[in-house]
Amino acid sequence: MEERRGVKSSKVIEDEEKWVYDSSLDHKGNIPIRASTGVWKASLFIVAIEFSERLSYFGIATSLILYLTRVLHDDLKTAAKSVNYWSGVTTLIPLFGGFIADAYLGRFKTVLFSSIIYLMGLILLCMSWFLPSLRPCDTKTCHEPRKIHEVVFFLAIYLVSIGTGGHKPALESFGADQFDDDHREERKQKMSFFNWWNFGLCCGLLLGVTVVVYVQDHVSWGVADIVLTAVMAVSLAIFIIGRRNYRYRKPSGSPLTPMLQVLVAAIAKRSLPHPSDPAQLYEISKSDKVNGRLLCHTEKLKFLDKAAIISVQNLTEKPSPWRLATVTKVEEMKLVLNLIPIWLATLPFGLCVAQTSTFFIKQGATMNREVANGFEVPPASIYAIAAIGMIVSVTLYEKLLVPILRRTTGNERGINILQRIGIGMIFSIATMIAAALVEKKRLGLVKIDPIKGSHSMSVLWLAPQFLIIGFGDGFTLVGLQEYFYDQVPDSMRSLGIALYLSVIGAGNFLSSLLITAVDHITDDVGKSWFGKDLNSSRLDRFYWLLACVAAANLCVYVFVAQRYSYKSVQKVAVADSYEDEPENGGPIP
């Protein structure tokens, strides 16, 4: 009788403390023991391979425009577009990888196979530099590299793209899966997981754009590739060693099929009236729910509710999922549709981020990079300032702001996810303004002295724009990860992380399209903003354009975010009552 009223007996509480009842399994396929699986002891193995992947990715990505202009001798516009295309593919292909992980392979296997593909790409990158038949040239310097080198080089970096496509969405969601949403302490740890995940990510990024880039600049590209390959191989071994500590989720089949079933059922019942009480809509009991959690009914997109109306035909025969959907399936469909406006409204942020690995790095290459005692900073190492900004931002947010905001707002997260994303967008506008002002000053020096040009201007002038975008990433990028993981259906969490990555990927493609459009328009009305090199370009005007786009979009984002409804999950019994709690971090019980 006690349990029926919602009060858990001490035996039930003790049982739930010992075992994890969140649909996850241990490495033998059994219900996991809470004390020996999951949480931070499992996540550390997962963070280790993420550290390695980010080290490799940023070691390649931040220097790619320099490789294309110095080794392959591409002009600035062509090189920038090639980098944007590669970055775009690398961050859009996770949509496919996330789908495969959720539907068929599972997250662990997807990470394992994609890491092997990633490793193959790095090995091929080494071969393109060291094998005599694949080297750019036989001589130390050359004005036109061999075609075979270009082919093998691009094949290698696109293999890395494919590896990233399975690695990124599956690994981050696999790491978050190590925490039980229905256990209060683990749920709070999970909120910290995304912050510390990005802290580890930034440490890998920091080493990638300093140590690895220094080796590329002062030793050789090939030696740097060997370092990246060795680190990836070691971290893959560490990831496999940790398999006994992980909690696993079974793949649940295509997440698109249930959504299509809801749509078909809603259309078939379009003429039926809505019931006066939402409790009359079809839903299975909590005890019958095998995977995932039950969702609460919401009033938005009410047309889809018709899929859950129990008709006379449903009562007389066994209901088909194509004719009758549960409230949870309907709400999952609503969740996916509600993501679309937010995804679109965050694209201009991805557009601003795309400049950091292209024009920002190329700016640094033209400036005075000498620091203490004549040491010359590699151009791509300037990106380290952005990593430092993100590390500081995440640490301050986690250790200082969140505790204060939790006490002030009563919200487990401190502020809700969309507020965090919006704050980061303000930083992206400030970044473009700072970049425009610095570039205008640099071009002014070039005009005064065309020979020395901007070489008399210290590269540290770029520090503000990198630092500001780093701070913004600590809010928006971490917020996007959390948002797309939490607000998708439980069966689509790898795909959710892929959606976050696709914001950056689509931003890169938009950047390429915008460069092409601006180039044509400005060339027709006068002189193009994009010349053969930076000194004959007007990047300051392009940055002002991006600042205006980002500012206008922020207004749209605020309008959309204010009208957003967070996922509301039917909670299990807590203390002496049942709770229905929104997934944006509701009041602390």
Side-chain angles (χ1 to χ4, degrees), residues 129-130 135 212-225:
W129 190 263
F130 287 107
R135 284 180 60 82
V212 174
V213 166
Y214 182 83
V215 173
Q216 290 170 342
D217 211 49
H218 290 83
V219 185
S220 82
W221 297 90
V223 172
D225 294 337

Side-chain angles (χ1 to χ4, degrees), residues 8 11-26 28-38 179-184 186 247:
K8 289 186 177 181
K11 186 177 184 307
V12 171
I13 294 172
E14 184 181 341
D15 191 49
E16 289 191 353
E17 281 298 319
K18 182 178 180 181
W19 305 96
V20 182
Y21 296 108
D22 68 345
S23 305
S24 58
L25 304 169
D26 64 14
K28 294 182 178 178
N30 301 320
I31 296 174
I33 298 174
R34 192 177 298 279
S36 59
T37 62
F179 302 87
D180 182 2
D181 281 309
D182 292 326
H183 188 273
R184 181 178 173 180
E186 290 196 18
R247 296 174 187 171

Side-chain angles (χ1 to χ4, degrees), residues 129-346:
W129 190 263
F130 287 107
L131 285 184
S133 59
L134 300 180
R135 284 180 60 82
C137 294
D138 291 326
T139 55
K140 190 172 182 180
T141 57
C142 61
H143 298 292
E144 190 174 347
R146 291 171 174 158
K147 198 68 180 174
I148 185 66
H149 174 77
E150 287 189 57
V151 171
V152 173
F153 173 77
F154 279 107
L155 178 61
I157 63 171
Y158 276 98
L159 271 177
V160 168
S161 287
I162 295 169
T164 304
H167 191 284
K168 280 297 290 177
L171 187 66
E172 189 167 352
S173 53
F174 186 55
D177 285 346
Q178 306 308 309
F179 302 87
D180 182 2
D181 281 309
D182 292 326
H183 188 273
R184 181 178 173 180
E185 285 306 310
E186 290 196 18
R187 186 171 71 246
K188 290 178 74 174
Q189 289 175 352
K190 187 175 191 172
M191 293 172 190
S192 295
F193 166 77
F194 287 100
N195 290 322
W196 293 116
W197 169 272
N198 282 279
F199 182 89
L201 179 155
C202 284
C203 290
L205 186 161
L206 201 56
L207 283 178
V209 300
T210 52
V211 176
V212 174
V213 166
Y214 182 83
V215 173
Q216 290 170 342
D217 211 49
H218 290 83
V219 185
S220 82
W221 297 90
V223 172
D225 294 337
I226 289 175
V227 172
L228 298 180
T229 305
V231 172
M232 176 57 80
V234 170
S235 65
L236 178 57
I238 292 171
F239 176 72
I240 295 170
I241 289 169
R243 62 185 296 271
R244 290 176 176 272
N245 298 286
Y246 303 143
R247 296 174 187 171
Y248 303 84
R249 298 291 179 99
K250 281 186 175 180
S252 54
S254 172
L256 303 180
T257 303
M259 288 190 287
L260 186 59
Q261 289 172 339
V262 168
L263 190 60
V264 169
I267 292 172
K269 297 179 180 178
R270 61 188 179 277
S271 59
L272 295 180
H274 284 94
S276 56
D277 183 4
Q280 295 175 8
L281 296 173
Y282 177 64
E283 183 61 283
I284 60 174
S285 64
K286 290 184 180 180
S287 58
D288 292 333
K289 182 71 172 171
V290 179
N291 294 314
R293 298 167 293 171
L294 298 180
L295 301 181
C296 302
H297 175 263
T298 61
E299 293 298 321
K300 289 192 173 182
L301 300 170
K302 290 194 70 173
F303 169 75
L304 295 174
D305 288 344
K306 295 196 173 188
I309 295 175
I310 304 172
S311 64
V312 176
Q313 187 180 7
N314 296 146
L315 293 172
T316 57
E317 59 184 49
K318 186 179 179 180
S320 163
W322 296 93
R323 288 290 177 268
L324 180 63
T326 63
V327 169
T328 293
K329 292 297 181 189
V330 171
E331 291 302 320
E332 287 179 346
M333 178 68 166
K334 290 181 184 180
L335 284 176
V336 174
L337 293 176
N338 281 331
L339 294 176
I340 296 172
I342 298 294
W343 186 86
L344 290 172
T346 53

Side-chain angles (χ1 to χ4, degrees), residues 94 97-99 101-102 107 169-171 173-174 177 485 488 490-499:
F99 176 82
D102 286 336
R107 286 155 197 164
L171 187 66
S173 53
F174 186 55
D177 285 346
Y485 178 86
V488 296
D490 290 357
S491 61
M492 292 177 61
R493 283 181 156 171
S494 295
L495 200 54
I497 295 296
L499 284 168

Side-chain angles (χ1 to χ4, degrees), residues 97-150:
F99 176 82
I100 294 296
D102 286 336
Y104 304 111
L105 281 182
R107 286 155 197 164
F108 176 81
K109 287 182 180 178
T110 302
V111 173
L112 184 61
F113 294 148
S114 60
S115 297
I116 292 170
I117 294 171
Y118 203 118
L119 193 57
M120 288 168 59
L122 293 175
I123 292 170
L124 192 57
L125 212 53
C126 293
M127 291 170 62
S128 73
W129 190 263
F130 287 107
L131 285 184
S133 59
L134 300 180
R135 284 180 60 82
C137 294
D138 291 326
T139 55
K140 190 172 182 180
T141 57
C142 61
H143 298 292
E144 190 174 347
R146 291 171 174 158
K147 198 68 180 174
I148 185 66
H149 174 77
E150 287 189 57

